[in-house]
Amino acid sequence: QVHLTQSGGALVQAGDSLRLSCTVSGHTSGTYAMGWFRQVPGKEREFVAGMGWSGRNTAYAESVKGRFTISRDSTKHTVYLQMTSLKPEDTAVYYCAGKIVVDMTMILRRETEYTYWGQGTQVLVSS
């Protein structure tokens, strides 16, 4: 049994930084591909960042490249999304996602490829 618990959402101003956390509980010994997605009401959920469990491979949406960083702390079974230079268009509900994989370098970009999801957390960036 796997459960993802998120934290870190907040109301911030444009240009600020914020870090989101996603902690894996249950079957923590597995090898996971992890990702972050975001969604605005009435819109499709979009890929933000992804990471192979080895930590050596990452991918980012063009809109956040250079501003967001995905990382992990294996001892805490936690994945992070460090966001800097936030813009009003970054406002959304952010979700973390995971899937047990065989290839530790695999990065998953599609929503339908993930098995486990966090509950979501709101990020609101004012101008």
Side-chain angles (χ1 to χ4, degrees), residues 3-61:
H3 185 69
L4 307 185
T5 302
Q6 300 180 224
S7 63
L11 169 62
V12 299
Q13 296 181 345
D16 283 355
S17 298
L18 191 66
R19 189 179 74 167
L20 305 181
S21 299
C22 175
T23 299
V24 180
S25 62
H27 186 61
T28 57
S29 62
T31 301
Y32 295 85
M34 301 296 296
W36 287 94
F37 291 77
R38 65 187 181 186
Q39 187 170 27
V40 176
K43 303 295 183 180
E44 295 183 354
R45 191 169 298 183
E46 66 172 336
F47 172 81
V48 175
M51 178 188 71
W53 193 240
S54 69
R56 301 175 182 176
N57 306 93
T58 58
Y60 299 91

Side-chain angles (χ1 to χ4, degrees), residues 73-95:
D73 184 336
S74 297
T75 63
K76 297 181 178 180
H77 307 110
T78 299
V79 176
Y80 304 97
L81 183 67
Q82 179 66 52
M83 303 180 288
T84 62
S85 301
L86 282 164
K87 306 174 180 179
E89 50 262 46
D90 293 319
T91 295
V93 175
Y94 284 72
Y95 298 88

